[in-house]
Amino acid sequence: MKQRPGRRSFLAMTGTGASAALAGCSGPTGQSQAEGNEGTTPDGEATLTIQIRGDQEALTSFQEELQTELENGNITRTEAQEEYESKQQELITNATTTYKDSVADADAVAVNDVAPEVGLLRLTAPATTFVNGLEDGDLAAVLPNEYYDQYLQQQQIQDAVEDQAANQENNSTSN
């Protein structure tokens, strides 16, 4: 079974670049921005990648149920791990679809790309959309625009390596 890297490996891959980008550390200072732009709002749009957080309470509850099943001998550790990963995937996919549908209805938000199976969206939206999502707990991370493509490319490479390893294992066991 292929295992997708979790939120931790995704966040480790992204580093602190997202924080600096969101904070505007690479641009002009707040004072100089405010001086020449009195008619504009500081709520400019940005295109960023976001990672969605699945329902953690539901996942914890499911994990407790699996632990009970495991302790009672009804399932094996491998089966419990597979069921846990499947449930985690389901919760992330559902949360991503729900979030996409909710922000797609907003006038100022454009959903550019969606990868629900890994909980990623690329949005063009006002900065408050990203900040509010983090504050509400809907978002696990706000990352630079290019991280969407980089992450999916990394997944394709990882999948190809896993497929190749599985094929080699199958060839060696069939001989």
Side-chain angles (χ1 to χ4, degrees):
M1 183 171 128
K2 294 181 185 178
Q3 293 183 1
R4 301 253 182 232
R7 186 178 81 222
R8 290 181 188 195
S9 62
F10 180 73
L11 293 174
M13 178 189 87
T14 59
T16 58
S19 299
L22 187 59
C25 293
S26 61
T29 64
Q31 183 179 12
S32 64
Q33 284 178 330
E35 287 174 358
N37 300 322
E38 293 174 11
T40 62
T41 65
D43 198 23
E45 285 190 350
T47 300
L48 297 171
T49 298
I50 60 171
Q51 185 180 30
I52 300 296
R53 180 184 324 268
D55 184 344
Q56 296 302 298
E57 289 179 21
L59 188 60
T60 300
S61 174
F62 186 73
Q63 184 178 17
E64 291 169 357
E65 291 172 19
L66 286 176
Q67 185 64 34
T68 302
E69 292 291 316
L70 185 62
E71 290 170 357
N72 292 337
N74 297 334
I75 58 174
T76 66
R77 185 167 299 282
T78 302
E79 291 171 332
Q81 181 65 31
E82 289 174 358
E83 287 185 37
Y84 178 82
E85 290 173 3
S86 176
K87 184 66 168 184
Q88 184 178 34
Q89 181 73 38
E90 175 189 332
L91 292 171
I92 289 172
T93 300
N94 291 343
T96 302
T97 302
T98 300
Y99 187 82
K100 177 190 78 77
D101 292 345
S102 71
V103 297
D105 292 337
D107 291 335
V109 178
V111 178
N112 303 327
D113 296 299
V114 180
E117 66 281 358
V118 292
L120 292 179
L121 293 102
R122 186 171 12 210
L123 303 177
T124 300
T128 56
T129 300
F130 301 109
V131 173
N132 291 342
L134 288 169
E135 288 175 346
D136 295 343
D138 293 334
L139 307 182
V142 176
L143 308 157
N145 179 25
E146 62 272 4
Y147 279 62
Y148 183 91
D149 295 323
Q150 290 172 355
Y151 184 78
L152 294 181
Q153 288 171 353
Q154 178 191 16
Q155 282 304 122
Q156 290 173 343
I157 292 168
Q158 184 175 346
D159 289 348
V161 168
E162 289 173 0
D163 288 344
Q164 184 178 11
N167 287 337
Q168 287 177 348
E169 185 177 311
N170 289 338
N171 289 340
S172 63
T173 59
S174 64
N175 290 332

